[in-house]
Amino acid sequence: CSDLPHKNGETMEAAIPGADQQDIYNFLVRSTWSPEALDQARVEQWIRERGYAGQRVHVLLDETSFLKQGQFSVGVARQYLGCVGKVANGQVAVTLHGVWDNDDLPLTGRLYLPEEAWAKNEARRKMAKVPENVPFRTKAEIGLELLQQVRGWGVGIEMVHADAGYGDIGTMMALAQEGYAFCLGVRGNVTVYLPDEAIPRAPEVAPYGGRGRPRKAPQPCRPLHTVDEVRRGLDDAAWQRVPYRRGVAGELLEREFAALRVHPATKDRCADEAWLLLERPLGPGSNDVKQYVIQAPSTTTLAELARISHIRARVERNSYENAKREVGLGDYQGRSWPGFAHHMAMVWLALTWMERLRFPLPPPTDDND
């Protein structure tokens, strides 16, 4: 929580009286305290102090990345890094963040292990002290496991939000199977079919006569459309100007939105009916378009869908920018799995404490409180 430009062992040694780098190394790498237990205690205390006990929370499934060189630092490989917007050498961590009415809070996170470079490389795993019970998981699978973890802490989840990196039909169906409502960004090539379009029944196949290869029953012909095709098929009357959130200075931000009910689908899989929300800037001349699949009741208004789709913007500013700029999220210099997990838990603890200073609890209403 200091104003040091880098929060690593060397700078901390100079800032903490009586400490040295070996002390810090032992605390992060060799000590056996549980980062999951620290996250749980921090989140439970925050919810209790802020008066959110029993309230359901919007949870953002996201990831943060760090440029990092070297072959032996855990999880480092050539992979897509959002911090630079391209494939480069570095680490990626999958994280969860909670959003209440006026507060947001980092909940927990876990380092992603690239499959070939790390998850299946026994020599690297041993060197970096990766536990045996940590197999390869896709980022979406890590997110689902983290959601189960925080739900086990008693956090009621209202809706799961994620960007287009998680907006595939497999993730949608996995979230729905676990009972989570969701708002996922999707790319223009994601396919859907419209509920009011007839799905032809497959014609019956004559019984197999025992000679030659059996005839396969033809599959129903579902009229799949890409999201881009749906967008191009809308006329101007389908779009409405809607305010979706307030900017940093408190100004009301507006864009144009259109929404329709769809079934996200592929040729062999189909998700439950949901909203396809399309977004574009006001006026011509910009390609900054977005689209989301939102599992919400059919009675949900366009204004509410627009608000839901922009909940995650606040978290990217608070939990990621502040964590990297103020409390050293990207400054860890160790190589091991325990060290990274401990570092992340301490970063979230420090950020939570600093947010508490910036936004203190309201004074008690009763002198006896």
Side-chain angles (χ1 to χ4, degrees), residues 166-349:
Y166 298 84
D168 60 87
I169 190 168
T171 303
M172 294 177 198
M173 296 182 74
L175 288 169
Q177 185 175 358
E178 295 297 329
Y180 300 115
F182 55 80
C183 171
L184 304 181
V186 294
R187 297 187 173 95
N189 61 357
V190 167
T191 50
V192 301
Y193 77 88
L194 308 180
D196 59 351
E197 291 181 327
I199 303 175
R201 293 181 58 186
E204 295 183 1
V205 177
Y208 178 50
R211 292 185 178 182
R213 182 176 297 177
R215 293 178 59 192
K216 293 183 179 180
Q219 298 298 309
C221 181
R222 291 179 172 172
L224 289 172
H225 310 273
T226 67
V227 169
D228 282 341
E229 289 170 350
V230 173
R231 178 188 294 275
R232 290 194 295 267
L234 296 179
D235 56 29
D236 287 340
W239 296 86
Q240 296 183 40
R241 182 169 177 161
V242 178
Y244 57 91
R245 67 177 176 89
R246 293 193 177 275
V248 177
E251 73 279 18
L252 200 60
L253 304 179
E254 295 183 321
R255 300 193 96 193
E256 287 190 331
F257 293 86
L260 63 159
R261 301 289 282 177
V262 300
H263 282 277
T266 64
K267 290 182 179 180
D268 56 358
R269 289 195 288 179
C270 179
D272 292 337
E273 186 176 284
W275 284 104
L276 173 61
L277 179 69
L278 305 173
E279 174 186 335
R280 69 185 186 186
L282 301 177
S286 174
N287 293 322
D288 183 19
V289 297
K290 299 176 182 178
Q291 47 270 327
Y292 314 85
V293 170
I294 304 177
Q295 199 219 40
S298 59
T299 54
T300 308
T301 65
L302 185 61
E304 178 63 9
L305 291 173
R307 185 194 69 82
I308 289 172
S309 69
H310 281 269
I311 284 177
R312 63 186 301 270
R314 188 173 72 195
V315 170
E316 293 189 349
R317 180 177 68 250
N318 291 357
S319 287
Y320 286 153
E321 292 182 19
N322 291 348
K324 289 182 177 181
R325 182 176 63 248
E326 297 182 351
V327 292
L329 177 60
D331 292 345
Y332 178 63
Q333 293 183 323
R335 294 178 172 180
S336 75
W337 175 277
F340 188 93
H342 287 151
H343 166 73
M344 179 170 281
M346 292 301 298
V347 163
W348 295 147
L349 178 64

Side-chain angles (χ1 to χ4, degrees), residues 5-312:
H6 301 289
K7 314 299 173 70
N8 54 43
E10 183 178 355
T11 57
M12 288 183 180
E13 178 184 32
I16 303 172
D20 60 33
Q21 290 192 54
Q22 189 63 41
D23 294 335
I24 297 168
Y25 174 84
N26 289 337
F27 175 71
L28 287 178
V29 178
R30 292 183 175 175
S31 54
T32 58
W33 58 274
S34 167
E36 294 83 6
L38 178 59
D39 283 342
Q40 180 177 358
R42 174 180 55 83
V43 170
E44 289 177 344
Q45 180 174 334
W46 173 274
I47 290 174
R48 185 170 58 252
E49 288 183 345
R50 291 284 172 173
Y52 292 131
Q55 292 190 27
R56 295 169 67 82
V57 58
H58 288 261
V59 174
L60 275 66
L61 165 59
D62 212 336
E63 58 193 60
T64 186
S65 58
F66 321 95
L67 278 169
K68 199 172 183 70
Q69 299 301 319
Q71 302 180 46
F72 305 112
S73 296
V74 63
V76 171
R78 284 194 62 78
Q79 54 190 316
Y80 179 80
L81 304 181
C83 61
V84 292
K86 62 181 181 180
V87 173
N89 220 50
Q91 295 166 310
V92 175
V94 179
T95 61
L96 294 186
H97 304 263
V99 178
W100 289 265
D101 292 338
N102 299 309
D103 289 307
D104 60 84
L105 177 72
L107 300 176
T108 192
R110 187 186 306 167
L111 185 68
Y112 167 71
L113 289 180
E115 185 172 12
E116 297 299 330
W118 278 96
K120 293 183 177 180
N121 189 317
E122 292 301 324
R124 278 186 161 186
R125 290 176 64 99
K126 184 176 181 180
M127 185 180 299
K129 300 181 174 64
V130 178
E132 292 183 1
N133 63 350
V134 179
F136 172 73
R137 291 285 187 268
T138 66
K139 295 171 186 176
E141 288 170 339
I142 293 173
L144 287 166
E145 291 181 356
L146 295 179
L147 286 166
Q148 292 294 82
Q149 179 177 303
V150 301
R151 191 155 70 173
W153 301 346
V155 177
I157 298 176
E158 178 73 19
M159 180 173 284
V160 177
H161 301 248
D163 65 17
Y166 298 84
D168 60 87
I169 190 168
T171 303
M172 294 177 198
M173 296 182 74
L175 288 169
Q177 185 175 358
E178 295 297 329
Y180 300 115
F182 55 80
C183 171
L184 304 181
V186 294
R187 297 187 173 95
N189 61 357
V190 167
T191 50
V192 301
Y193 77 88
L194 308 180
D196 59 351
E197 291 181 327
I199 303 175
R201 293 181 58 186
E204 295 183 1
V205 177
Y208 178 50
R211 292 185 178 182
R213 182 176 297 177
R215 293 178 59 192
K216 293 183 179 180
Q219 298 298 309
C221 181
R222 291 179 172 172
L224 289 172
H225 310 273
T226 67
V227 169
D228 282 341
E229 289 170 350
V230 173
R231 178 188 294 275
R232 290 194 295 267
L234 296 179
D235 56 29
D236 287 340
W239 296 86
Q240 296 183 40
R241 182 169 177 161
V242 178
Y244 57 91
R245 67 177 176 89
R246 293 193 177 275
V248 177
E251 73 279 18
L252 200 60
L253 304 179
E254 295 183 321
R255 300 193 96 193
E256 287 190 331
F257 293 86
L260 63 159
R261 301 289 282 177
V262 300
H263 282 277
T266 64
K267 290 182 179 180
D268 56 358
R269 289 195 288 179
C270 179
D272 292 337
E273 186 176 284
W275 284 104
L276 173 61
L277 179 69
L278 305 173
E279 174 186 335
R280 69 185 186 186
L282 301 177
S286 174
N287 293 322
D288 183 19
V289 297
K290 299 176 182 178
Q291 47 270 327
Y292 314 85
V293 170
I294 304 177
Q295 199 219 40
S298 59
T299 54
T300 308
T301 65
L302 185 61
E304 178 63 9
L305 291 173
R307 185 194 69 82
I308 289 172
S309 69
H310 281 269
I311 284 177
R312 63 186 301 270

